[in-house]
Amino acid sequence: MQSGCRRGRGLGWWHGHIRGYGYRMTAQREAVLEIMTKTREHLSAEDIYHQLHNLYPNIGLTTIYRTLELLVDTGLVYKFDFGDGRARYEISEGPDSPDHHHHLVCTCCGKITNYTDFIDKERKLLNETEMGLSKKFNFKITNHLIQFYGLCEKCNKDEK
Amino acid sequence: MQSGCRRGRGLGWWHGHIRGYGYRMTAQREAVLEIMTKTREHLSAEDIYHQLHNLYPNIGLTTIYRTLELLVDTGLVYKFDFGDGRARYEISEGPDSPDHHHHLVCTCCGKITNYTDFIDKERKLLNETEMGLSKKFNFKITNHLIQFYGLCEKCNKDEK
DNA sequence: ATGATAATGGAAATCATTATCAATAAGGAG
DNA sequence: CTCCTTATTGATAATGATTTCCATTATCAT
């Protein structure tokens, strides 16, 4: 994939990105990114905190929050609200990446299912809509959110 | 419109709905609905609380929250998260109503703009997507959320 | 009108997220 | 490589929206 970009010192590909924004690279930020890139789950700040606590017993929850904010601001991470009262984060693949996906949220058990199907059609509609709305309302659209809610297979069965 | 349904006693059209779910009709619920139906704004629980405080000085914020939860559960009201740290509520017109709309959220000043354009195209795509996803993941979709984020006309100007 | 029970409201509790601030560490200059 | 400026960290306290508790009150079927 992008293995050709690896440097001898084992720096993550995100170093340049972070430094480019004028931020310093720290072990804590490294650690958070390490975790984010290795999972497809939708972690909360506390999830990350707990996972890191083994490796870095002294890392503070505050730092996790601050780091996540930074990562969201620089576009490395997406922040989501699935309605369970805490924010959830996921590494950004960019809206044009083939990995770009949206979410099905089970309103019963909270399970999140990623889907990539229909993304192309969605993207087409979204582009049209964004252009139309931008023009009509003079609204400069920078982002969008699509989410489906319902019952996952398991909860749907259990309900009967 | 639906004025033919009015009864002599001035009961809101929602009485039957609420009673139908086995809930009692109270002055407080009446009052919250009264406000919700008279505005196109996206009120928070506290907004409603303050607006009601003039008429019902003794109404409790707790009751507002409980009432809103009830109204959401019975489908009379939609609950939204526009990212400003508090839930916002809006009377439901039903996803098939001609008043059904989605939202543009200004990430700078928080302004919410309703739009009804493109809703038809959206609905078409959403239906297809919902059917496809339901089948593929055995996920029973009951609801969806679409939101656009960006800068409203004013904030976009001010930024320059 | 009466009684069973749902609903209310005020205060206290939760809980995710932020603010504060002294101590620490990153990284550019020399 | 070392020093120094300044961003970053982490422990703790604060915040603020939403919930929980529970004694009091109001609804409505009978």
Side-chain angles (χ1 to χ4, degrees):
Chain A
M1 210 60 104
Q2 45 188 233
S3 51
C5 297
R6 292 199 65 187
R7 325 235 202 92
R9 288 177 294 153
L11 289 178
W13 52 267
W14 48 71
H15 268 244
H17 184 91
I18 303 241
R19 299 303 318 282
Y21 275 86
Y23 295 115
R24 294 180 180 173
M25 204 55 217
T26 68
Q28 291 90 334
R29 287 168 185 175
E30 190 80 43
V32 171
L33 274 162
E34 204 76 57
I35 286 205
M36 300 295 287
T37 53
K38 281 187 182 151
T39 184
R40 295 221 67 179
E41 286 176 76
H42 308 86
L43 303 173
S44 67
E46 212 166 351
D47 290 339
I48 297 171
Y49 176 68
H50 283 126
Q51 291 204 25
L52 280 182
H53 220 267
N54 306 320
L55 299 174
Y56 303 85
N58 286 329
I59 200 165
L61 181 54
T62 307
T63 297
I64 308 288
Y65 275 106
R66 272 186 303 228
T67 300
L68 287 169
E69 188 187 11
L70 181 155
L71 297 178
V72 169
D73 284 351
T74 61
L76 285 180
V77 159
Y78 289 140
K79 180 179 184 178
F80 289 100
D81 168 38
F82 295 135
D84 64 343
R86 73 203 62 199
R88 295 191 169 272
Y89 301 84
E90 153 181 331
I91 197 81
S92 146
E93 312 285 348
D96 293 323
S97 141
D99 274 353
H100 185 60
H101 58 266
H102 288 153
H103 303 108
L104 302 177
V105 182
C106 178
T107 50
C108 173
C109 69
K111 182 184 179 195
I112 308 295
T113 304
N114 297 343
Y115 72 92
T116 54
D117 318 76
F118 308 98
I119 290 284
D120 283 338
K121 272 191 193 169
E122 275 182 21
R123 181 156 32 219
K124 191 155 165 291
L125 174 72
L126 288 175
N127 283 339
E128 283 176 29
T129 308
E130 287 187 13
M131 287 212 297
L133 292 177
S134 291
K135 195 167 294 178
K136 173 163 185 180
F137 294 106
N138 255 302
F139 204 104
K140 185 183 175 191
I141 293 175
T142 57
N143 209 346
H144 64 253
L145 174 68
I146 295 191
Q147 251 162 49
F148 288 97
Y149 298 91
L151 294 175
C152 73
E153 184 165 16
K154 184 170 179 313
C155 291
N156 199 12
K157 266 184 196 149
D158 293 350
E159 220 179 37
K160 292 166 188 170
Chain B
M1 211 56 106
Q2 46 188 231
S3 53
C5 297
R6 294 197 65 185
R7 324 235 202 95
R9 287 177 294 153
L11 289 179
W13 52 266
W14 48 71
H15 268 244
H17 184 92
I18 303 240
R19 300 301 318 283
Y21 275 86
Y23 296 116
R24 294 178 180 173
M25 204 57 216
T26 68
Q28 291 90 335
R29 287 170 185 174
E30 189 81 42
V32 170
L33 274 162
E34 203 77 55
I35 286 204
M36 301 292 288
T37 52
K38 281 186 180 151
T39 185
R40 295 221 67 179
E41 287 177 75
H42 307 85
L43 303 173
S44 67
E46 212 165 351
D47 290 339
I48 297 171
Y49 176 68
H50 284 125
Q51 290 204 25
L52 280 182
H53 220 266
N54 306 320
L55 299 173
Y56 303 85
N58 286 328
I59 199 166
L61 182 54
T62 307
T63 298
I64 308 288
Y65 275 106
R66 270 184 304 226
T67 301
L68 286 170
E69 188 187 10
L70 181 155
L71 297 178
V72 169
D73 284 350
T74 61
L76 285 180
V77 160
Y78 287 141
K79 180 179 184 178
F80 289 100
D81 168 39
F82 294 134
D84 64 345
R86 74 202 61 198
R88 295 190 170 272
Y89 302 84
E90 153 182 332
I91 196 81
S92 146
E93 312 285 349
D96 291 324
S97 140
D99 275 353
H100 186 58
H101 59 265
H102 287 152
H103 303 108
L104 303 177
V105 182
C106 178
T107 50
C108 173
C109 70
K111 183 184 177 193
I112 308 295
T113 305
N114 297 343
Y115 71 91
T116 53
D117 317 76
F118 309 99
I119 290 285
D120 283 339
K121 273 192 191 167
E122 275 183 21
R123 181 155 34 219
K124 190 156 166 290
L125 173 72
L126 289 175
N127 282 339
E128 284 176 29
T129 307
E130 286 186 13
M131 287 210 299
L133 293 177
S134 290
K135 195 167 292 177
K136 173 163 184 180
F137 295 106
N138 254 302
F139 204 103
K140 185 184 175 190
I141 292 175
T142 56
N143 209 347
H144 64 254
L145 175 68
I146 296 190
Q147 251 162 48
F148 289 96
Y149 297 91
L151 294 176
C152 72
E153 186 165 15
K154 186 171 178 312
C155 290
N156 200 12
K157 267 184 197 150
D158 293 350
E159 221 179 37
K160 293 167 187 167

